[in-house]
Amino acid sequence: MRALVLTFLRLGPCGAYGLAAMFLASMVLLARYPASEFAWLLYMTILPVMREPVLMLLAVPGIGFWGAAAILVLAALFGVLLAIRPDRYPRMRFVHAHVALIATALATVRAANTQAGLSGLSLPQMLRGDWALVPLASSPLGTALFVLVLAACVCSHAAIIRRIRAR
């Protein structure tokens, strides 16, 4: 039972990368079927959780939309391998989990001051007086994802400390 719970916790970063890939898919669905309620529901549910990390990834020169989708899907699949075989690649698991933690933390902090534009230097929404249709960062999905990824980071730290003590 303990091994199953730890495997589930180690799959937390896969959820973050997979959710970011789903956000890109929801953008495609929304562009293709703008009148679809499902496309809007999917997009608006994932938007406050993955907006900032995905937009930062798309802003990297040379990475297009489909390149970003491929990177996120491969990162999620690689995370499954890391979760199933945790003792094989402890450093990679550490990096994989912490990149996901930074992305989810950035999304949580940046979504707290949601804005309609992409400018990072603008005043928070409440001070400006204009309101976007984006829900607040305290969405249950974002909170659950952050806690799950944080638990994966704690697991990777514990594994590295355990490995150092064994030497």
Side-chain angles (χ1 to χ4, degrees):
M1 178 72 175
R2 180 177 180 252
L4 183 66
V5 170
L6 287 175
T7 302
F8 177 74
L9 290 178
R10 288 189 297 260
L11 284 172
C14 298
Y17 295 119
L19 195 65
M22 283 179 55
F23 181 62
L24 289 174
S26 73
M27 289 173 145
V28 171
L29 279 174
L30 197 57
R32 183 106 170 132
Y33 307 105
S36 170
E37 284 185 37
F38 174 74
W40 277 103
L41 178 69
L42 185 64
Y43 179 77
M44 292 304 287
T45 301
I46 301 174
L47 180 68
V49 181
M50 283 295 147
R51 176 182 179 205
E52 292 297 327
V54 169
L55 290 179
M56 284 180 64
L57 182 61
L58 289 173
V60 174
I63 296 180
F65 185 85
W66 297 109
I71 288 170
L72 291 170
V73 168
L74 288 174
L77 293 175
F78 183 62
V80 172
L81 172 71
L82 293 175
I84 292 172
R85 311 243 353 229
D87 295 332
R88 183 131 187 204
Y89 307 106
R91 290 183 190 126
M92 284 305 298
R93 197 176 86 209
F94 179 86
V95 171
H96 187 263
H98 283 74
V99 168
L101 180 68
I102 290 168
T104 55
L106 175 72
T108 303
V109 169
R110 297 286 284 162
N113 99 16
T114 50
Q115 54 200 11
L118 298 177
S119 171
L121 301 175
S122 61
L123 292 173
Q125 212 173 12
M126 290 180 220
L127 297 177
R128 284 194 325 247
D130 58 339
W131 295 88
L133 295 174
V134 181
L136 292 177
S138 61
S139 70
L141 178 64
T143 304
L145 186 66
F146 181 75
V147 168
L148 194 59
V149 172
L150 183 65
C153 289
V154 169
C155 286
S156 69
H157 280 275
I160 289 174
I161 291 171
R162 195 176 323 115
R163 195 168 210 199
I164 290 171
R165 285 186 179 173
R167 289 183 187 174

